[in-house]
Amino acid sequence: MRNSLQRAAVVGTTLLLALGLSACSAGEGGAASGNQSVKAACDIMEKDMRAVASDMDSAALGADPVAAASTMNQIADQLKTSAKKVTNPEVTKVVGPMIDSFDKLGTALEKISDDPSAAMELASDMQTLSTDMQEAGMAYNKVCKG
């Protein structure tokens, strides 16, 4: 039963991430804002988000909550590094919530890996996180896809 809860939490989280990342693809940008255009800033994030999606695909997220937590923390770190290259305030504003979501997800998965019974306790937090990730993805798309 404990393994089932762990797997359910990790599978649910993986689906949530797939939704979040699929919403985050850059397209046409807006006008320049400061020294960096929206398009240039979105292009920076797009490149790194594709690498993150590739990392997620190659990670063993389905069976190992410890590996899943580690992967989510690495993704958050990668996105933080990318975000440092973004100076456009419009894009910075929408990238922050995405990074926060990955941080929260990594923390939740760490709790589950430490205590599998926490999966049930974290179910509503995961639902909220899913909503937050979807909203962050939509906000990003609004700015980066126009």
Side-chain angles (χ1 to χ4, degrees), residues 25-33 35-47 50 85-91 140 143-146:
S25 57
E28 296 301 313
S33 181
N35 291 333
Q36 187 180 55
S37 70
V38 169
K39 180 170 181 1
C42 290
D43 287 347
I44 289 168
M45 293 307 300
E46 168 68 8
K47 177 184 170 201
R50 285 182 190 196
K85 300 176 211 168
V86 173
T87 60
N88 182 284
E90 289 178 72
V91 178
Y140 178 89
V143 170
C144 287
K145 285 188 156 185

Side-chain angles (χ1 to χ4, degrees), residues 15-79:
L15 291 173
L16 167 151
L17 285 172
L19 288 172
L21 284 176
S22 68
C24 302
S25 57
E28 296 301 313
S33 181
N35 291 333
Q36 187 180 55
S37 70
V38 169
K39 180 170 181 1
C42 290
D43 287 347
I44 289 168
M45 293 307 300
E46 168 68 8
K47 177 184 170 201
D48 291 335
M49 280 192 264
R50 285 182 190 196
V52 163
S54 175
D55 290 348
M56 279 181 43
D57 288 344
S58 65
L61 297 180
D64 186 356
V66 174
S70 176
T71 299
M72 292 309 108
N73 290 331
Q74 289 172 1
I75 288 170
D77 289 345
Q78 279 182 281
L79 293 177

